């Protein structure tokens, strides 16, 4: 990881968290155990604090920042999809932020809520627990069904497992020059089904 101290404050990455080498952590950033921080994520704690609580994930190309004296917080088992932007907000426990969504200052995404991909959560908006929101700005569409809550739980568990896989086996290599015979596949899990196929 690319880790920078500023004004005497250095990022904290607890044992058991995985931060990709291309991710950037600056200043007052706290990453708890079991977290996954993906490639090219930028967590800038140069004004306010960035805090990722245990077993949460921040995926590729996400940006996290906040105004001075604010916290940008992702609670345990929070799930932040590729390319999302979080600025001075709180993502509740077990909540999911969809790909390329934006969550603005003072907003609270309730426990277990899902923010759809490409959505915009305006400043100071309070999203109730266990609902689906979408749009720009978002509107509550409906309460989540039990199978959607379970789908989200499974998805987050795959990232907790990925954290362990990365810590155990990911390392920099040179590519092969040809495909080997009987090339194996990754992620053999008969119980997991992407939501669009469910």
């Amino acid at each position: 990881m690319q880790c920078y101290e500023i004004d005497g404050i250095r990022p904290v990455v607890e044992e058991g968290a995985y931060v990709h080498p291309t991710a950037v952590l600056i200043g007052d950033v706290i990453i708890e155990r079991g977290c996954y921080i993906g490639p090219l994520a930028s967590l800038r704690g140069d004004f306010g604090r960035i805090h990722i609580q245990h077993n949460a994930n921040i995926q590729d190309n996400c940006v996290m920042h906040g105004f001075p004296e604010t916290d940008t917080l992702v609670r345990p088992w929070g799930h932040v999809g590729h390319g999302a932007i979080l600025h001075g907000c709180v993502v509740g426990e077990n909540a999911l932020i969809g790909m390329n969504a934006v969550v603005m200052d003072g907003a609270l995404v309730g426990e277990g809520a899902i923010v759809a991909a490409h959505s915009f959560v305006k400043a100071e908006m309070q999203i109730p627990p266990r609902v689906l929101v979408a749009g720009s700005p978002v509107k509550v569409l409906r309460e989540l069904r039990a199978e959607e809550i379970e789908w989200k739980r499974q998805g987050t568990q795959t990232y907790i497992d990925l954290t362990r896989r990365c810590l155990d086996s990911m390392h920099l290599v040179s590519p092969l020059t040809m495909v080997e015979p009987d090339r194996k596949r990754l992620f053999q899990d008969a119980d997991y089904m992407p939501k669009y196929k469910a």
Side-chain angles (χ1 to χ4, degrees), residues 24-26 28-31 36-37 40-53 56-59 61-67 71-75 80 83-91 103:
V24 177
L25 311 181
I26 299 172
D28 194 2
V29 175
I30 302 167
I31 310 292
Y36 173 88
I37 310 298
L40 302 173
S42 175
L43 284 65
R44 280 183 48 213
D46 48 13
F47 290 157
R49 175 170 290 172
I50 309 292
H51 190 169
I52 314 302
Q53 295 184 334
N57 65 78
I58 309 296
Q59 297 172 20
N61 297 310
C62 288
V63 174
M64 296 185 67
H65 195 238
F67 289 120
D71 288 1
T72 305
L73 173 63
V74 178
R75 294 200 185 278
V80 181
I85 299 173
L86 306 180
H87 203 278
C89 59
V90 175
V91 174
V103 185

Side-chain angles (χ1 to χ4, degrees), residues 1-190:
M1 78 196 80
Q2 301 173 64
C3 195
Y4 299 92
E5 179 179 292
I6 187 169
D7 297 336
I9 299 177
R10 183 181 301 192
V12 175
V13 177
E14 290 186 357
E15 187 174 347
Y18 176 78
V19 180
H20 190 273
T22 62
V24 177
L25 311 181
I26 299 172
D28 194 2
V29 175
I30 302 167
I31 310 292
E32 293 186 10
R33 62 186 165 77
C35 289
Y36 173 88
I37 310 298
L40 302 173
S42 175
L43 284 65
R44 280 183 48 213
D46 48 13
F47 290 157
R49 175 170 290 172
I50 309 292
H51 190 169
I52 314 302
Q53 295 184 334
H54 65 272
N55 295 325
N57 65 78
I58 309 296
Q59 297 172 20
D60 328 48
N61 297 310
C62 288
V63 174
M64 296 185 67
H65 195 238
F67 289 120
E69 299 182 6
T70 64
D71 288 1
T72 305
L73 173 63
V74 178
R75 294 200 185 278
W77 296 282
H79 190 105
V80 181
H82 315 290
I85 299 173
L86 306 180
H87 203 278
C89 59
V90 175
V91 174
E93 186 169 328
N94 261 320
L96 182 150
I97 308 301
M99 293 182 263
N100 289 308
V102 176
V103 185
M104 293 299 295
D105 302 275
L108 170 63
V109 178
E111 179 179 346
I114 294 178
V115 176
H118 289 280
S119 292
F120 177 75
V121 179
K122 64 185 181 181
E124 299 187 335
M125 184 169 189
Q126 307 291 293
I127 295 173
R130 293 173 296 284
V131 296
L132 173 64
V133 301
S136 184
V138 297
K139 292 184 174 134
V140 175
L141 300 182
R142 58 177 171 77
E143 291 187 1
L144 291 171
R145 297 185 290 269
E147 62 268 22
E148 293 169 319
I149 293 169
E150 174 59 16
W151 166 79
K152 188 275 169 194
R153 186 202 64 75
Q154 288 180 356
T156 301
Q157 185 61 50
T158 64
Y159 271 89
I160 294 168
D161 296 341
L162 179 59
T163 297
R164 294 188 197 109
R165 290 170 55 211
C166 289
L167 290 170
D168 290 345
S169 70
M170 185 181 280
H171 56 276
L172 188 65
V173 296
S174 297
L176 300 173
T177 58
M178 60 189 316
V179 177
E180 63 271 55
D182 300 319
R183 183 177 175 88
K184 72 177 186 176
R185 293 264 185 183
L186 294 170
F187 196 68
Q188 303 296 315
D189 185 348

